[in-house]
């Protein structure tokens, strides 16, 4: 793997956005391996595929690449809101590579993999429709709330221009696979409670610590009027999945904290 990209690939394009897309996607197709099964190379799908950019010929997983010159901040701009929401219900929703790079050198600064099962309706932020004067009047996009994805779901592949051992990356991905669930509502609660445990900022915590997020969770799940019993249920799920250890008397330990 080489963190340097081939900037010459963008010379035939005038738009900086088109240049970046061509350069970053070519880099990913040449350098990225499958983090799900370990296949050494991914296949670059044809342009204008509505969902994915890369495909694993071994395990059939698909991947999308989002790249940005510099840091992303708290959100990642995505495409059409309705398309994204439909994808969340699809078993073939792609995993997401998130890249931060430097221009004009076109060097990869950071690269993460976010497995698809970390995506929930709660982290998708609907943008305002484009105004009537816009070329695509009424089109509604969305953002991904990058800051609300639990640390366990943001697995580094390249960090501060240092390549992470692929074996370590695979181990981190495999450790999260127990969190995968097809039910989108169940997934939303699970990821939100996991995010709250991360915000507590301690390996050892109490049930009272988690209850401090009751209002936050109620706002995100307004259809549920029994938030604290739901919190206890999710802690049991996380215990069964190996992410939380029960110590007794309302005390817990967070495991696999990223």
């Amino acid at each position: 793997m080489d963190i340097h990209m081939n900037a010459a690939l963008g010379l035939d394009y005038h738009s900086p956005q088109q240049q970046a897309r061509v350069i970053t996607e070519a880099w990913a197709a040449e350098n990225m391996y499958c983090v799900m099964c370990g296949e050494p190379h991914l296949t670059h799908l044809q342009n204008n595929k509505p969902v994915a950019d890369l495909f694993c010929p071994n395990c059939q997983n698909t991947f999308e690449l989002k790249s940005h010159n510099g840091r992303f901040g708290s959100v990642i701009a995505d495409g059409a809101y309705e398309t994204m929401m439909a994808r969340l219900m699809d078993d073939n929703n792609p995993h997401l590579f998130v890249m931060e790079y430097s221009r004009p050198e076109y060097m990869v600064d950071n690269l993460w993999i976010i497995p698809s099962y970390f995506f929930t309706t709660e982290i998708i932020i609907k943008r305002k429709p484009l105004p009537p004067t816009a070329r695509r009047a009424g089109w509604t996009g969305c953002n991904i709330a990058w800051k609300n994805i639990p640390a366990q779901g943001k697995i580094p592949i390249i960090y501060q221009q240092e390549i992470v051992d692929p074996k370590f990356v695979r181990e981190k991905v495999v450790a999260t696979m127990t969190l995968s669930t097809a039910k989108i509502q169940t997934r939303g609660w699970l990821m939100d409670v996991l995010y709250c445990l991360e915000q507590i900022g301690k390996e050892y915590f109490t049930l009272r610590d988690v209850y401090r997020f009751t209002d936050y969770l109620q706002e995100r799940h307004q259809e549920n009027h029994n938030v604290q019993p739901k919190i206890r249920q999710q802690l049991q799920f996380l215990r069964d999945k190996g992410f939380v250890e029960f110590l007794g008397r309302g005390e817990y330990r967070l495991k696999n904290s990223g």
Side-chain angles (χ1 to χ4, degrees):
M1 182 179 290
D2 185 355
I3 66 170
H4 299 84
M5 291 183 271
N6 185 1
L9 295 175
L11 293 178
D12 293 335
Y13 299 86
H14 298 292
S15 163
Q17 289 79 13
Q18 288 181 314
Q19 292 173 355
R21 178 183 57 78
V22 169
I23 294 167
T24 57
E25 288 183 4
W27 178 90
E30 183 174 348
N31 288 271
M32 272 314 303
Y33 54 92
C34 179
V35 298
M36 310 307 290
C37 75
E39 173 71 19
H41 297 289
L42 297 175
T43 301
H44 189 186
L45 296 173
Q46 66 188 58
N47 290 338
N48 300 319
K49 279 284 184 181
V51 173
D53 301 310
L54 300 159
F55 171 78
C56 176
N58 181 52
C59 68
Q60 316 297 305
N61 273 286
T62 56
F63 301 84
E64 186 179 9
L65 174 66
K66 292 290 182 185
S67 61
H68 190 268
N69 178 30
R71 302 300 295 269
F72 266 106
S74 62
V75 300
I76 298 173
D78 201 71
Y81 175 77
E82 295 298 336
T83 301
M84 172 56 98
M85 298 306 286
R87 279 170 47 183
L88 290 181
M89 310 299 174
D90 191 338
D91 291 340
N92 295 319
N93 188 29
H95 308 289
L96 183 65
F97 289 123
V98 176
M99 175 197 289
E100 295 175 343
Y101 64 91
S102 301
R103 242 179 8 215
E105 301 92 346
Y106 272 103
M107 291 179 62
V108 183
D109 295 325
N110 297 295
L111 179 68
W112 296 269
I113 178 65
I114 305 175
S116 61
Y117 39 85
F118 280 87
F119 285 91
T120 68
T121 56
E122 288 79 20
I123 68 164
I124 306 303
I125 304 170
K126 188 176 185 178
R127 298 204 301 260
K128 292 182 179 180
L130 293 180
T133 54
R135 183 171 60 86
R136 292 191 294 170
W139 183 86
T140 304
C142 66
N143 292 325
I144 300 169
W146 165 253
K147 66 177 181 178
N148 287 103
I149 298 173
Q152 291 88 346
K154 295 183 280 196
I155 301 168
I157 298 170
I158 296 172
Y159 185 68
Q160 295 182 351
Q161 298 187 353
E162 293 290 331
I163 299 169
V164 179
D165 184 348
K167 182 180 178 182
F168 178 81
V169 174
R170 284 273 299 120
E171 288 174 351
K172 285 290 187 182
V173 171
V174 169
T176 69
M177 287 181 177
T178 59
L179 294 173
S180 176
T181 173
K183 293 183 178 179
I184 189 69
Q185 188 177 35
T186 301
R187 189 193 313 167
W189 270 104
L190 200 60
M191 297 308 167
D192 279 346
V193 171
L194 189 58
Y195 172 76
C196 292
L197 300 187
E198 178 188 325
Q199 297 309 299
I200 292 171
K202 299 183 294 185
E203 180 181 358
Y204 294 89
F205 63 94
T206 67
L207 186 58
R208 182 176 296 180
D209 290 328
V210 193
Y211 280 171
R212 294 193 181 105
F213 293 88
T214 297
D215 290 346
Y216 169 82
L217 292 167
Q218 181 67 82
E219 177 64 28
R220 292 174 72 79
H221 300 274
Q222 296 182 18
E223 77 290 345
N224 188 290
H225 302 292
N226 297 286
V227 172
Q228 292 188 353
K230 195 72 175 180
I231 288 173
R232 296 194 298 272
Q233 179 195 60
Q234 298 307 305
L235 289 172
Q236 290 174 354
F237 286 165
L238 288 168
R239 177 200 62 189
D240 295 344
K241 293 173 182 295
F243 281 78
V244 165
E245 179 183 358
F246 280 15
L247 303 177
R249 297 187 177 183
E251 296 184 347
Y252 305 80
R253 182 172 77 90
L254 180 63
K255 302 162 66 178
N256 300 320
S257 54

